[in-house]
Amino acid sequence: MSPLLLKITLVLLFMSIIIPQKSVGEYEQWCIADEQTPDEELKVALDWACGEGGADCSKIQVNQACYFPNTMTNHASYAFNDYFQRFKHKGGSCNFKGAAMITELDPSKRYPLTVFKKNERIPCA
């Protein structure tokens, strides 16, 4: 093996050791309401998530920490994400009959009044 090729191999090996690599399952994901979905459809999906679906929606009730902003999109996003984080490893999805979608962009950057914590069930402080 030539000295140059050996140096390149060692550098690449060293870089692969010191630079952490994320596997597909390690990317941060949040389940949010699709803003194009009508409020009536979001409401049906929100009711399912908070009821039969098993999401903890106590924090989006009146006078609770995540009630504001008080919009159907924000409340649905909270419920969808809570459900998704709880059940994604047990076969749960982020679909809600097309009312939701997965994002790898931190929603708190898009919705500054709502603080989403990465890969956690409770997306606001």
Side-chain angles (χ1 to χ4, degrees):
M1 185 179 274
S2 73
L4 178 60
L5 188 56
L6 183 59
K7 285 181 183 180
I8 291 172
T9 303
L10 289 174
V11 167
L12 290 174
L13 180 62
F14 179 72
M15 288 177 58
S16 70
I17 293 170
I18 64 166
I19 299 174
Q21 302 293 316
K22 287 187 174 185
S23 70
V24 174
E26 291 180 301
Y27 286 101
E28 298 168 6
Q29 294 184 326
W30 295 267
C31 181
I32 60 170
D34 183 341
E35 292 180 349
Q36 296 179 7
T37 303
D39 280 358
E40 299 78 28
E41 291 178 34
L42 288 177
K43 176 76 169 109
V44 170
L46 169 68
D47 288 346
W48 182 87
C50 294
E52 209 177 311
D56 178 4
C57 297
S58 61
K59 291 196 181 247
I60 55 173
Q61 303 305 312
V62 177
N63 296 323
Q64 295 302 312
C66 302
Y67 181 72
F68 291 106
N70 180 19
T71 67
M72 185 58 63
T73 300
N74 281 289
H75 286 194
S77 290
Y78 178 96
F80 296 169
N81 191 58
D82 185 87
Y83 172 85
F84 180 65
Q85 299 305 329
R86 285 176 186 269
F87 300 111
K88 66 183 174 183
H89 298 295
K90 299 175 186 175
S93 69
C94 176
N95 186 290
F96 298 93
K97 295 187 178 179
M101 61 183 156
I102 291 176
T103 182
E104 291 180 356
L105 301 174
D106 184 348
S108 67
K109 305 291 189 239
R110 186 168 187 183
Y111 304 103
L113 296 177
T114 304
V115 180
F116 281 74
K117 296 177 181 176
K118 66 178 182 178
N119 291 324
E120 291 185 11
R121 296 182 189 137
I122 302 170
C124 65

